[in-house]
Amino acid sequence: MTQLTDYLYLGADPKDNIRSLKKLGITCIINCAVEIPPLTMISSDIDGMDYLKIGIEDYDDYDIKRRANLASNLISKHRAMGGKTYVHCVAGVNRSPTICAWYMISELGMTSLESLVYISERRPIIDPLPGFVTQLFNRYKEIKSSKT
């Protein structure tokens, strides 16, 4: 598990570590993986936590925008309430770092490159698919053009 900010964490499938997440004060879990069943089906430890499965396919030309916006909004909501969010996929290498970068671009005003560098400095194993990186760059351009 990697702490990105005081309220945002990134990593792999937490199915065996839910109690550890609760001890950290995690109030929300976002599952980015299609192939991981919802934690609500396999653990009662998740009681009292918000849970969202956005189910992003792990292939290059998959459109992440709608799901990334849902996740970003939920991260913002928990941040505003003083909560913490854990974003995961299978290994915390591709999909979940992409969603965290999307959030940082959308809500923290980072460029796509700044967000990816920031995350990779804290979690060197990240390796977003080229198509996901392109969508991050497009997200930054979309936000930049809407401000002019």
Side-chain angles (χ1 to χ4, degrees):
M1 176 183 342
T2 303
Q3 182 174 357
L4 299 178
T5 69
D6 59 339
Y7 60 89
L8 183 59
Y9 294 75
L10 158 69
D13 183 358
K15 69 177 179 245
D16 299 322
N17 297 313
I18 297 169
R19 288 187 179 148
S20 298
L21 294 178
K22 280 190 167 183
K23 286 180 186 175
L24 284 171
I26 300 294
T27 56
C28 177
I29 298 174
I30 298 174
N31 174 358
C32 299
V34 171
E35 61 273 28
I36 298 175
L39 288 174
T40 53
M41 293 175 58
I42 59 174
S43 176
S44 62
D45 290 334
I46 196 162
D47 287 345
M49 300 172 90
D50 243 353
Y51 180 80
L52 175 66
K53 179 173 178 160
I54 58 174
I56 295 173
E57 296 284 351
D58 199 6
Y59 61 86
D60 203 41
D61 60 348
Y62 188 82
D63 185 359
I64 64 170
K65 183 176 184 172
R66 186 178 65 79
R67 289 170 171 83
N69 283 332
L70 283 172
S72 186
N73 291 338
L74 191 57
I75 294 165
S76 291
K77 174 185 165 188
H78 277 267
R79 179 186 184 197
M81 296 183 329
K84 298 177 181 180
T85 302
Y86 181 72
V87 183
H88 77 88
C89 51
V90 174
V93 172
N94 174 29
R95 291 170 282 186
S96 55
T98 299
I99 294 305
C100 290
W102 187 281
Y103 165 79
M104 292 174 163
I105 294 163
S106 301
E107 301 297 327
L108 303 183
M110 290 185 175
T111 67
S112 41
L113 183 59
E114 287 169 342
S115 67
L116 291 169
V117 168
Y118 180 90
I119 295 167
S120 67
E121 286 173 345
R122 287 150 184 80
R123 189 171 180 86
I125 64 169
I126 73 162
D127 189 20
L129 291 171
F132 289 0
V133 173
T134 298
Q135 291 180 69
L136 292 173
F137 278 89
N138 290 340
R139 178 63 177 158
Y140 173 72
K141 287 192 286 189
E142 176 186 331
I143 290 170
K144 186 177 177 186
S145 68
S146 72
K147 291 181 180 179
T148 56

